[in-house]
Amino acid sequence: MTETVDVPIVAPAAPVYAHPGDAGADLVSTEAVRIEPGRRVTVGTGVAVALPEGYAGFVVPRSGLAARHGITIVNAPGTVDAGYRGEIKVTLLNTDSSEPYDVAVGDRIAQLVLVPVARAVFLPVDALPDSVRGTGGFGSTGYSNEQAGEQTQTTTGERA
Ligand SMILES: O=c1ccn([C@H]2C[C@H](O)[C@@H](COP(=O)(O)OP(=O)(O)OP(=O)(O)O)O2)c(=O)[nH]1
């Protein structure tokens, strides 16, 4: 059984979970806009919420829009703080190189995922505890062949 959390909302309509078990509730546009290729537009959703302390809302792209039209969110995941009472807005980016994308009022443009968050208490120390990864980052597990002048390729065709 999925945990539920009560979230006070001011909106023309509440975001809807399309299916049982969906992590994201769809946010819809209150604006009709054209997004030219390579351009970004910030779009209103009409939704304002009061998230409980200890939670954040992540505004994340919709996979179908991304795969079919190249529409993503510039700052994905956009972070809605628990203390934020303003309208949730979505900065859409059209990554397609040639096709504009038209957003109509009521179009589902993004989804809101509620996540529990912890706050860190940062404790300055002289040295960090050892770990298996250590300081390796930014592709440290996957770029050794590329550095040697070759690239590895996965079965899906992506460069590894
Ligand atoms: O995609 C997003 C991301 C954020 N917000 C709202 C909620 C969030 O609580 C507030 C501030 O976001 P963030 O902290 O990411 O922005 P900032 O540029 O760091 O601004 P600030 O100085 O207000 O924190 O803007 C949105 O409506 N949509």
Side-chain angles (χ1 to χ4, degrees):
M1 178 87 171
T2 309
E3 182 197 352
T4 61
V5 175
D6 290 341
V7 176
I9 181 171
V10 174
V16 171
Y17 293 95
H19 304 104
D22 281 2
D26 288 326
L27 294 167
V28 301
S29 175
T30 57
E31 303 173 47
V33 290
R34 166 164 287 203
I35 314 174
E36 298 293 342
R39 306 308 294 248
R40 65 180 181 271
V41 175
T42 297
V43 176
T45 66
V47 171
V49 291
L51 299 176
E53 279 299 320
Y55 286 84
F58 281 173
V59 180
V60 299
R62 298 190 63 221
S63 305
L65 284 184
R68 283 197 290 276
H69 302 288
I71 298 298
T72 188
I73 296 173
V74 176
N75 56 324
T79 304
V80 179
D81 301 291
Y84 181 67
R85 298 290 181 268
E87 179 187 13
I88 297 174
K89 296 190 174 185
V90 182
T91 303
L92 296 171
L93 170 66
N94 182 358
T95 66
D96 196 278
S97 57
S98 58
E99 292 296 318
Y101 183 76
D102 291 318
V103 176
V105 174
D107 278 0
R108 295 178 296 157
I109 50 168
Q111 46 191 329
L112 184 67
V113 179
L114 207 62
V115 287
V117 291
R119 278 182 77 110
V121 177
F122 296 103
L123 304 172
V125 293
D126 291 331
L128 298 173
D130 286 339
S131 74
V132 174
R133 173 176 281 272
T135 58
F138 282 42
S140 63
T141 61
Y143 284 100
S144 54
N145 288 343
E146 193 180 1
Q147 281 169 358
E150 305 165 27
Q151 281 190 321
T152 52
Q153 201 159 8
T154 66
T155 50
T156 57
E158 292 167 349
R159 301 284 174 195

